Amino acid sequence: AIQMTQSPSSLSASVGDRVSITCRASQGIRKDLGWYQQKPGKAPKLLIYAASSLESGVPSRFSGSGSGTDFTLTISNLQPEDFATYYCLHDYTYPQAFGQGTKVEIK
Amino acid sequence: EVQLVQSGAEVKKPGESLKISCRGSGYSFANYWVAWVRQMPGKGLEWMGIIYPGDSDTRYSPSFQGQVTISADKSISTAYLQWTSLKASDTAMYYCARQSLHFDYWGQGTLVTVSS
């Protein structure tokens, strides 16, 4: 099964900062990767699909890049509502798998 | 409007059986894969398995194969997650999610608590 290694596990940042989160797949997955945001007590929310496509309604400060094994989620101009936990998920083949998550906290 | 509505919270004892549900509306339920995702208390998301309601094609994560059963009834637009003998370690929030280009719609979650 393909494993997803996400880093860092947590980070502290200030409003207005630019932050990046990475996911590495244990083998090539083309661009079959999505990024999700989860806030406490809520279901995850899709931000990015196919590695770099922005889901409808998601602010443009969120962007994704990468292909093959290495992927990045970037949040530009971090806003108060962006403090949450972020997960990558590959859907290249079964079983699909999430990364371990990155908690973005307020500095 | 696309919605996935899950059944309510459950409190069970070890060894008991359980079946939770996820009802889809606002779209053609039979034509989209539906996945189940576990989140143990304070932990990350785990992909458990997925079903295509149109023909009940089902795939499992090796971690959950044999531990749970995923099924669906397309006539009532509902997917299910089932246990025959619960353990304390099954205590978690369980989410269903529709897969189109990706997991674009999620249920609200069902909290399962297993305690003696």
Side-chain angles (χ1 to χ4, degrees), chain A residues 30-90:
Chain A
R30 302 182 307 195
K31 298 187 74 172
D32 296 339
L33 183 111
W35 289 98
Y36 296 81
Q37 176 193 66
Q38 188 182 32
K39 296 183 179 179
K42 299 293 188 183
K45 173 189 172 185
L46 176 64
L47 301 174
I48 302 284
Y49 62 93
S52 57
S53 296
L54 192 67
E55 173 71 347
S56 176
V58 174
S60 59
R61 62 180 179 272
F62 292 93
S63 63
S65 64
S67 66
T69 60
D70 294 306
F71 301 86
T72 301
L73 172 70
T74 300
I75 313 171
S76 306
N77 187 21
L78 198 67
Q79 295 299 297
E81 60 268 31
D82 301 336
F83 292 95
T85 302
Y86 295 84
Y87 296 90
C88 62
L89 168 70
H90 89 77

Side-chain angles (χ1 to χ4, degrees), chain B residues 22-102:
Chain B
C22 168
R23 182 173 58 83
S25 62
Y27 73 100
S28 178
F29 183 79
N31 294 336
Y32 289 82
W33 293 83
V34 175
W36 286 95
V37 175
R38 183 175 80 175
Q39 188 166 40
M40 299 176 76
K43 302 299 184 183
L45 303 173
E46 298 175 89
W47 189 91
M48 300 177 71
I50 197 166
I51 188 166
Y52 188 76
D55 62 4
S56 292
D57 185 6
T58 308
R59 315 294 176 91
Y60 292 93
S61 164
S63 299
F64 293 94
Q65 180 88 47
Q67 309 304 307
V68 298
T69 300
I70 294 171
S71 60
D73 185 341
K74 63 183 178 182
S75 70
I76 55 171
S77 301
T78 301
Y80 301 97
L81 179 64
Q82 182 174 6
W83 295 260
T84 56
S85 182
L86 286 159
K87 310 181 195 62
S89 57
D90 293 317
T91 294
M93 181 70 82
Y94 293 88
Y95 293 102
C96 63
R98 184 186 88 157
Q99 183 160 35
S100 57
L101 291 174
H102 224 82

Side-chain angles (χ1 to χ4, degrees), chain A residues 4-6 23 86-90 97-102, chain B residues 44-45:
Chain A
M4 303 303 297
T5 303
Q6 189 173 337
C23 252
Y86 295 84
Y87 296 90
C88 62
L89 168 70
H90 89 77
F98 289 95
Q100 301 93 324
T102 297
Chain B
L45 303 173

